[in-house]
Amino acid sequence: MVGGGGRERVLEVMDERDLELEQDCHGLRNLSYKITSPRDPQYNCIAYAVGDLSQFWDHINVKGYYWPPGAGSVETLAGWMSIFEMHGYTETTERTLEIEYEKIAIYESADGPEHVARQKASGLWTSKMGRGVDIEHALEALEGDFYGKVVAIMKRKCQGGKRYWSEGGK
């Protein structure tokens, strides 16, 4: 069980497909992915990537939403990157697994930043899909009209030789 905002929930791997998700992210139709959590509107991809499963990260002045003080604009790539810089990440061009580093990837469309994924120790990527499920996927599986392309990769050294997220958890 994993705690999330004072509540506990059982995580189980689901073998089904999400046709609505595949409509948005066409790459998921042809590349394998695994649903790793039930739908949960409590948090989004940015929150998931930094390890906060208790709030939805967006710059909206409404209870339940959070945007870090000092972070750049939610509308810009620089703003999103500033969040991860606050968490110890630096920009890199290396997309492949480097076992001593944790990595995130930011996707951007013509409208601005749209999504962030986090790399797992296996080399696969994991994402919170809006207010929906979490999935494990290949990096390029989410590229397309909906999220755009990966435009930034950032990394930080694993703490004490371990990733922030344990592989047994999310």
Side-chain angles (χ1 to χ4, degrees), residues 3-4 11 13 21-22 42 47 50 65-66 95 99 117-118 121 135 143 146 148 150 158 166:
L11 298 178
V13 175
L21 191 57
E22 290 179 21
Q42 182 93 19
V50 299
Y65 288 83
Y66 172 75
R95 292 176 171 223
I99 204 69
R118 177 175 40 85
I135 66 169
E143 289 186 320
F146 195 71
V150 172
C158 292
S166 72

Side-chain angles (χ1 to χ4, degrees), residues 74-81 105-116 142-152:
V74 70
E75 304 291 329
T76 67
L77 177 61
W80 282 40
M81 290 177 75
I106 300 174
Y107 296 75
E108 185 176 47
S109 73
D111 295 328
E114 301 287 351
H115 184 71
V116 62
L142 302 184
E143 289 186 320
D145 294 338
F146 195 71
Y147 285 139
K149 293 202 169 278
V150 172
V151 295

Side-chain angles (χ1 to χ4, degrees), residues 9-18 21-22 32-40 43 120 128 132-137 170:
R9 57 199 153 125
V10 176
L11 298 178
E12 53 187 56
V13 175
M14 297 158 215
D15 289 327
E16 73 246 17
R17 301 186 70 84
D18 186 320
L21 191 57
E22 290 179 21
S32 67
Y33 69 97
K34 185 185 300 180
I35 298 172
T36 57
S37 78
R39 292 183 183 279
D40 187 343
Y43 59 97
K120 298 179 73 168
K128 169 66 172 175
V133 297
D134 302 338
I135 66 169
E136 183 178 280
H137 59 88
K170 288 199 162 220

Side-chain angles (χ1 to χ4, degrees), residues 147-161:
Y147 285 139
K149 293 202 169 278
V150 172
V151 295
I153 303 284
M154 299 182 79
K155 69 181 183 179
R156 72 176 174 192
K157 196 90 159 150
C158 292
Q159 305 299 313

